[in-house]
Amino acid sequence: MKGLDWGAMYDEFHENTYDTFALEKQTHDLMEDDEIMKKAGIYRYVLSGDLRYLSFRTFDKKQKREAYERQKGICVHCQKHFELEEMEADHITPWKEGGTTVADNCQMLCRSCNRIKGAK
Ligand SMILES: [Zn+2]
């Protein structure tokens, strides 16, 4: 894969020993999965086991709509109703604490609540 720094990745992960065949198969299976958009992250995931390499940090439209519908348009923070366009997606388990960018970890906050949360 172009643009992939195998050297740096080797330095990062070389303390572990890997079953090359199993890794290859796992990588191949993940490549086949269209749900995973960030293909370059697959190698890092396979080597590190950290799911965050597989996903983007920001939620896409589909994930936002899913969370919005689950909440019925109610901001989880102030309990008021908003249009989807007036809301912003937020990680329930924060990204920096290992939260992944999946619909299950998405909650919709209105803009002002999201700003308050972000300021903390
Ligand atoms: Zn709110």
Side-chain angles (χ1 to χ4, degrees), residues 7-37:
M9 278 170 52
Y10 179 78
D11 286 345
E12 201 176 329
F13 302 116
H14 77 280
E15 286 141 46
N16 308 324
T17 48
Y18 299 105
D19 176 343
T20 323
F21 180 76
L23 278 184
E24 220 160 86
K25 188 181 180 307
Q26 197 184 356
T27 306
H28 177 79
D29 290 349
L30 289 165
M31 286 290 186
E32 301 269 281
D33 189 345
D34 289 338
E35 297 286 304
I36 299 162
M37 294 173 292

Side-chain angles (χ1 to χ4, degrees), residues 74-80 82 87 108-114:
I74 310 290
C75 169
V76 290
H77 200 258
C78 64
Q79 305 296 317
K80 288 182 204 144
F82 293 90
M87 301 183 90
M108 297 301 281
L109 298 173
C110 71
R111 281 194 195 119
S112 61
C113 287
N114 196 34

Side-chain angles (χ1 to χ4, degrees), residues 1-75:
M1 189 166 286
K2 219 180 156 193
L4 202 64
D5 191 349
W6 285 105
M9 278 170 52
Y10 179 78
D11 286 345
E12 201 176 329
F13 302 116
H14 77 280
E15 286 141 46
N16 308 324
T17 48
Y18 299 105
D19 176 343
T20 323
F21 180 76
L23 278 184
E24 220 160 86
K25 188 181 180 307
Q26 197 184 356
T27 306
H28 177 79
D29 290 349
L30 289 165
M31 286 290 186
E32 301 269 281
D33 189 345
D34 289 338
E35 297 286 304
I36 299 162
M37 294 173 292
K38 203 175 166 190
K39 303 286 185 195
I42 290 172
Y43 294 103
R44 291 195 151 261
Y45 164 67
V46 167
L47 292 172
S48 69
D50 189 339
L51 262 175
R52 284 176 297 167
Y53 287 121
L54 288 182
S55 57
F56 291 108
R57 190 169 172 164
T58 51
F59 293 100
D60 64 26
K61 271 191 186 149
K62 193 169 157 266
Q63 292 167 324
K64 286 181 189 174
R65 177 157 286 281
E66 219 177 293
Y68 180 81
E69 279 166 12
R70 194 167 58 219
Q71 294 169 213
K72 298 179 167 43
I74 310 290
C75 169

